[in-house]
């Protein structure tokens, strides 16, 4: 009997050693491919490297578009180029005498950082150069450790090949920027072992690398994650506590400032989690046009978290009338996730002006800042100290059960959904509300968050660059939280019905869409040139306790700065 137990123990140890060796060999093979980069000796599977098609136009950010490039530059473009060069000179002078607390800096950031100045300006805003000097050789040592010990390498490898594939810098497999993105993410997973790697981080690092060098992007990413002004650690850590806090704050703002739209969303089971994940996780990238996203990033790096809250409300307010015309969940989600990315309907300057007014309005209402963060939103373990992963993580074995933090996420979202339903029911008559608390379908919608409660340390969820895609663990059906039905995001087909098991928001194949509200051309305008009577604007002063206020009837003229 003893001999049998000993032999089983030896066999188990042998199997474990074999799995560890296989994981190490796989990690080394992946790192070798990135080390070779574009070397002809590097083997690339055909499906990994799509045919490099020559498009008619590549914009100034490197993103390719299937449209024809004009033969000549018009006078307006020449004038914009001239103005941009003058602004470059002003920014160079201001960067030489940098003072982030200067009102001139704030005014110019809201006006938009010139493209050629965005690299040095972002580095100033994030204190990148100081961090590099203070942590000399730290990045190189983290990258070396990642090559030997990273447990996230497989997931990072997959995500790198999905990030910004319509950008010339990332399109070719193992290009310079792909290799830099791979290195930054792996090094950071070692530098911040408590967080490890979450797929939303790939998009953040991808944007930074379009303007920075590899080590600069590493420290910029670190600032976004640990600096209290941005505190993205709470977005990516297990349980997503900051996401839950910001969603609750977003609902609070909606219920006070846009009651009618909030009720409309509740009626059609549209919870904020369905449309706003990329708003919070990656600061609106791939949800609004890239040029506008960069303008929001400029302000976010200067002002911090409250910009995200205000921009989320600004988007909904500017497109409120169109959203109220959409009468099902799918069309609302498609509008917010896909159509606004293709054509936002307003020029960038107008949106930023609206954002600035919204920030002022929220501050006046004391809604500009979310409730204080809890301790679990910030790093606890020391950064930059190597902590070797346990056997389960090294092997890549996934947990079979949710942790207490993950279960709490599910409970919080269900409670929030029930609270929203009660609030809506209290302000809507039974005849006009189809989302009353008795509607089981509306309750099931909110359980899609269960798929977000998986652990970032074992890479058991996917936040594709094309949309956040999540998987649901079958063990949840045995939890005490819910023995009936759970829902999960995925990239498959929508499956509607009583057994609502999945929801897809991959709408990349949408056809052209005609906006019914006023479209603003892409150049600047004066009030005399544009009829703003057909353009949504921000609400004037109003009594937030007045339940009879209808945000559709709020005056536009009273909000002009």
């Amino acid at each position: 009997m003893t001999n049998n137990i000993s032999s089983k123990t030896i066999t188990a140890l042998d199997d474990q050693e074999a799995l560890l060796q296989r994981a190490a060999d796989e990690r080394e093979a992946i790192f070798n491919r990135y080390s070779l980069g574009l070397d002809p000796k590097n083997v690339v599977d055909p499906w990994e490297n799509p045919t490099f098609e020559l498009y008619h136009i590549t914009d100034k950010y490197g993103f390719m578009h299937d449209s024809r490039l004009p033969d000549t530059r018009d006078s307006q473009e020449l004038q914009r180029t001239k103005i941009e060069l003058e602004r470059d000179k002003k920014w160079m002078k201001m960067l030489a005498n940098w003072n982030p607390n200067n009102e001139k800096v704030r005014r110019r950031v809201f006006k938009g950082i010139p493209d050629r100045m965005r690299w040095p300006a972002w580095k100033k805003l994030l204190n990148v150069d100081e961090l590099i000097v203070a942590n000399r050789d730290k990045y190189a040592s983290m990258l070396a450790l990642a090559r030997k010990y990273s447990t996230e390498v497989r997931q990072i490898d997959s995500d790198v090949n999905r990030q910004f594939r319509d950008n010339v810098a990332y399109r070719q497999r193992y290009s310079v920027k792909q290799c830099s993105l791979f290195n930054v993410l792996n090094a950071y997973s070692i530098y911040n072992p408590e967080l490890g790697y979450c797929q939303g981080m790939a998009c953040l690092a991808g944007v930074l690398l379009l303007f920075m060098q590899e080590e600069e992007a590493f420290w910029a990413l670190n600032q976004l994650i640990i600096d209290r002004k941005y505190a993205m650690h709470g977005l990516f850590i297990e349980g997503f506590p900051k996401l839950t806090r910001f969603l609750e704050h977003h609902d609070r703002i909606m219920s006070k400032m846009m009651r009618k739209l909030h009720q409309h969303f509740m009626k059609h089971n549209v919870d904020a989690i369905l449309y706003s994940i990329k708003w919070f996780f990656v600061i609106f990238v791939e949800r609004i046009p890239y040029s506008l996203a960069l303008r929001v990033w400029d302000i976010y790096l200067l002002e911090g978290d409250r910009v995200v809250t205000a921009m989320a409300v600004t988007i909904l307010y500017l497109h409120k009338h169109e959203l109220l015309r959409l009468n099902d969940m799918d069309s609302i989600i498609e509008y917010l996730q896909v159509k606004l990315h293709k054509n936002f309907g307003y020029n960038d300057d107008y949106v930023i002006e609206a954002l600035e007014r919204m920030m002022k309005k929220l501050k006046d209402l004391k809604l500009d800042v979310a409730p204080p963060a809890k301790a679990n939103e910030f790093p606890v373990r020391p950064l930059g100290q190597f902590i070797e992963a346990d056997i389960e993580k090294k092997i890549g074995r996934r947990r079979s059960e949710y942790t207490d933090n993950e279960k709490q996420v599910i409970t919080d979202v269900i409670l929030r959904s029930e609270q929203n339903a009660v609030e809506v029911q209290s302000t809507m008559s039974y005849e006009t509300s189809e989302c009353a608390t008795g509607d089981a379908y509306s309750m099931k919608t909110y359980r899609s968050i269960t798929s977000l409660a998986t652990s970032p340390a074992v890479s058991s969820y996917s936040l594709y660059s094309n949309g956040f895609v999540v998987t649901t663990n079958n063990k949840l059906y045995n939890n005490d939280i819910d023995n009936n039905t759970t829902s999960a995001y995925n990239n498959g087909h929508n499956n509607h019905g009583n057994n609502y098991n999945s929801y897809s928001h991959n709408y990349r194949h949408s056809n052209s869409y005609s906006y019914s509200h006023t479209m603003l051309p892409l150049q600047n305008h004066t009030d005399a040139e544009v009829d703003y009577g057909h353009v949504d604007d921000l609400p004037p002063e109003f009594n937030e306790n007045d339940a009879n206020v209808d945000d559709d009837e709020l005056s536009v003229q009273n909000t002009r700065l």
Side-chain angles (χ1 to χ4, degrees):
M1 184 68 177
T2 302
N3 291 336
N4 289 336
I5 295 174
S6 299
S7 62
K8 289 181 180 179
T9 303
I10 293 172
T11 302
L13 290 173
D14 290 341
D15 291 342
Q16 183 172 283
E17 288 297 325
L19 291 172
L20 287 171
Q21 185 60 47
R22 185 177 68 179
D25 292 342
E26 181 184 32
R27 180 174 59 249
E28 183 62 24
I30 292 173
F31 266 96
N32 283 337
R33 288 198 292 271
Y34 282 93
S35 296
L36 287 171
L38 296 176
D39 192 310
K41 297 178 182 178
N42 204 356
V43 178
V44 179
D45 293 333
W47 65 267
E48 286 188 296
N49 206 4
T51 303
F52 196 96
E53 301 172 2
L54 184 61
Y55 283 66
H56 293 300
I57 181 172
T58 301
D59 66 24
K60 59 184 178 180
Y61 304 111
F63 288 94
M64 295 177 287
H65 305 274
D66 193 8
S67 57
R68 189 168 296 280
L69 185 68
D71 294 330
T72 59
R73 301 174 67 191
D74 58 29
S75 58
Q76 291 177 340
E77 183 179 357
L78 291 173
Q79 181 65 19
R80 287 197 297 269
T81 302
K82 181 179 178 180
I83 294 173
E84 189 87 351
L85 290 173
E86 290 299 321
R87 295 185 64 227
D88 287 348
K89 295 177 183 178
K90 293 179 180 179
W91 269 89
M92 290 176 67
K93 183 177 179 180
M94 189 170 66
L95 288 169
N97 301 279
W98 182 250
N99 179 9
N101 298 319
N102 191 329
E103 179 60 26
K104 182 187 291 186
V105 172
R106 185 181 188 278
R107 187 171 64 250
R108 288 182 177 174
V109 167
F110 271 83
K111 191 174 181 179
I113 300 175
D115 293 321
R116 284 177 290 272
M117 294 292 103
R118 193 162 271 123
W119 175 29
W122 281 13
K123 290 199 298 177
K124 288 285 188 181
L125 289 168
L126 293 169
N127 299 316
V128 170
D129 291 335
E130 291 82 353
L131 287 170
I132 291 176
V133 172
N135 297 275
R136 195 174 301 278
D137 299 327
K138 175 62 74 173
Y139 173 69
S141 65
M142 293 295 103
L143 185 57
L145 287 170
R147 182 156 193 153
K148 294 180 63 177
Y149 300 105
S150 175
T151 60
E152 311 286 357
V153 62
R154 181 193 298 173
Q155 187 63 57
I156 291 173
D157 176 46
S158 298
D159 294 339
V160 164
N161 201 31
R162 289 194 285 254
Q163 193 62 50
F164 294 147
R165 294 311 302 274
D166 57 345
N167 188 289
V168 293
Y170 290 99
R171 187 168 179 80
Q172 191 171 5
R173 193 66 170 118
Y174 304 114
S175 63
V176 172
K177 287 300 182 182
Q178 277 206 3
C179 293
S180 293
L181 181 58
F182 176 81
N183 290 339
V184 167
L185 295 174
N186 274 289
Y188 197 78
S189 70
I190 296 295
Y191 182 78
N192 189 347
E194 184 179 357
L195 181 61
Y197 169 68
C198 170
Q199 285 173 310
M201 295 162 61
C203 187
L204 296 177
V207 172
L208 294 170
L209 281 166
L210 288 174
F211 296 96
M212 299 181 182
Q213 301 300 319
E214 189 173 304
E215 185 173 2
E216 293 171 344
F218 174 87
W219 291 112
L221 177 65
N222 181 61
Q223 282 293 88
L224 292 177
I225 289 174
I226 69 169
D227 191 295
R228 292 295 178 109
K229 183 190 290 187
Y230 318 107
M232 285 190 160
H233 188 276
L235 288 173
F236 299 122
I237 198 66
E238 178 188 292
F240 310 99
K242 186 174 180 178
L243 176 64
T244 302
R245 181 166 60 91
F246 269 60
L247 288 173
E248 291 173 351
H249 186 58
H250 178 75
D251 287 341
R252 188 178 304 113
I253 294 173
M254 290 287 289
S255 66
K256 289 182 178 293
M257 295 186 66
M258 284 184 281
R259 294 187 182 93
K260 189 171 182 179
L261 184 61
H262 184 53
Q263 292 162 0
H264 182 69
F265 280 1
M266 291 299 298
K267 176 180 178 180
H268 296 292
N269 312 298
V270 179
D271 183 57
I273 192 71
L274 298 177
Y275 60 80
S276 66
I277 292 183
K278 275 205 168 183
W279 293 2
F280 295 115
F281 271 73
V282 295
I283 319 302
F284 303 95
V285 174
E286 294 184 331
R287 287 296 176 262
I288 59 178
Y290 187 70
S291 61
L292 178 57
L294 288 179
R295 294 283 297 275
V296 176
W297 271 62
D298 294 341
I299 303 169
Y300 173 70
L301 296 184
L302 177 69
E303 299 279 349
D305 274 343
R306 67 192 194 99
V307 175
V308 183
T309 300
M311 186 62 185
V313 182
T314 301
I315 291 173
L316 296 176
Y317 204 93
L318 290 176
H319 298 276
K320 172 183 56 181
H321 294 308
E322 283 298 322
L323 291 167
L324 287 171
R325 293 187 185 101
L326 302 175
N327 292 318
D328 63 87
M329 180 174 64
D330 289 349
S331 60
I332 293 172
I333 299 302
E334 180 182 6
Y335 186 93
L336 291 171
Q337 289 191 342
V338 179
K339 291 176 179 176
L340 292 185
H341 181 221
K342 294 178 180 294
N343 185 347
F344 197 79
Y346 300 90
N347 71 52
D348 294 353
D349 289 335
Y350 181 81
V351 177
I352 296 303
E353 290 171 6
L355 170 61
E356 189 171 11
R357 291 194 295 272
M358 182 61 78
M359 291 174 68
K360 182 178 183 300
K361 174 61 63 178
L362 292 174
K363 186 175 182 179
D364 292 343
L365 296 174
K366 295 181 172 55
L367 291 171
D368 59 322
V369 179
K374 297 181 180 179
N376 62 343
E377 292 187 22
F378 304 105
V380 176
R381 302 176 187 172
L383 300 174
Q385 297 184 14
F386 174 63
I387 301 175
E388 190 168 356
D390 58 34
I391 297 296
E392 297 296 311
K393 289 182 180 178
K394 286 183 178 180
I395 294 174
R397 184 175 293 147
R398 300 189 179 190
R399 295 194 311 266
S400 59
E401 295 182 356
Y402 286 113
T403 66
D404 292 339
N405 286 338
E406 293 163 353
K407 292 177 182 178
Q408 186 61 44
V409 173
I410 303 168
T411 304
D412 290 343
V413 172
I414 293 174
L415 290 174
R416 186 167 63 86
S417 70
E418 293 172 349
Q419 181 181 359
N420 282 337
V422 170
E423 289 178 358
V424 171
Q425 192 178 30
S426 67
T427 56
M428 298 177 67
S429 66
Y430 182 80
E431 290 77 16
T432 60
S433 174
E434 298 174 6
C435 69
T437 52
D439 183 359
Y441 180 76
S442 64
M443 293 300 100
K444 292 175 184 177
T445 303
Y446 299 98
R447 293 173 191 170
S448 58
I449 189 63
T450 58
S451 56
L452 285 176
T454 51
S455 171
V458 295
S459 302
S460 54
Y461 57 90
S462 290
L463 302 174
Y464 286 123
S465 62
N466 193 27
F468 290 80
V469 181
V470 198
T471 57
T472 303
N473 192 324
N474 290 332
K475 294 293 287 186
L476 181 65
Y477 293 99
N478 298 324
N479 287 342
D480 295 332
I481 296 174
D482 183 11
N483 292 322
N484 296 318
T485 307
T486 55
S487 57
Y489 293 110
N490 57 57
N491 268 3
H493 294 287
N494 296 335
N495 181 13
H496 299 287
N498 294 329
N499 186 18
Y500 186 68
N501 291 324
S502 65
Y503 176 75
S504 168
H505 56 291
N506 181 11
Y507 292 102
R508 290 292 177 185
H509 308 294
S510 65
N511 296 323
S512 60
Y513 182 78
S514 175
Y515 287 82
S516 60
H517 60 32
T518 301
M519 288 295 184
L520 299 184
L522 296 180
Q523 63 268 22
N524 295 332
H525 288 279
T526 64
D527 286 345
E529 296 173 316
V530 179
D531 179 9
Y532 284 105
H534 299 289
V535 180
D536 293 332
D537 211 317
L538 306 187
E541 297 293 340
F542 65 95
N543 183 357
E544 61 186 278
N545 296 319
D546 183 2
N548 296 320
V549 171
D550 184 350
D551 54 277
D552 286 336
E553 299 175 355
L554 297 173
S555 171
V556 173
Q557 288 76 13
N558 293 339
T559 64
R560 290 281 160 205
L561 293 179

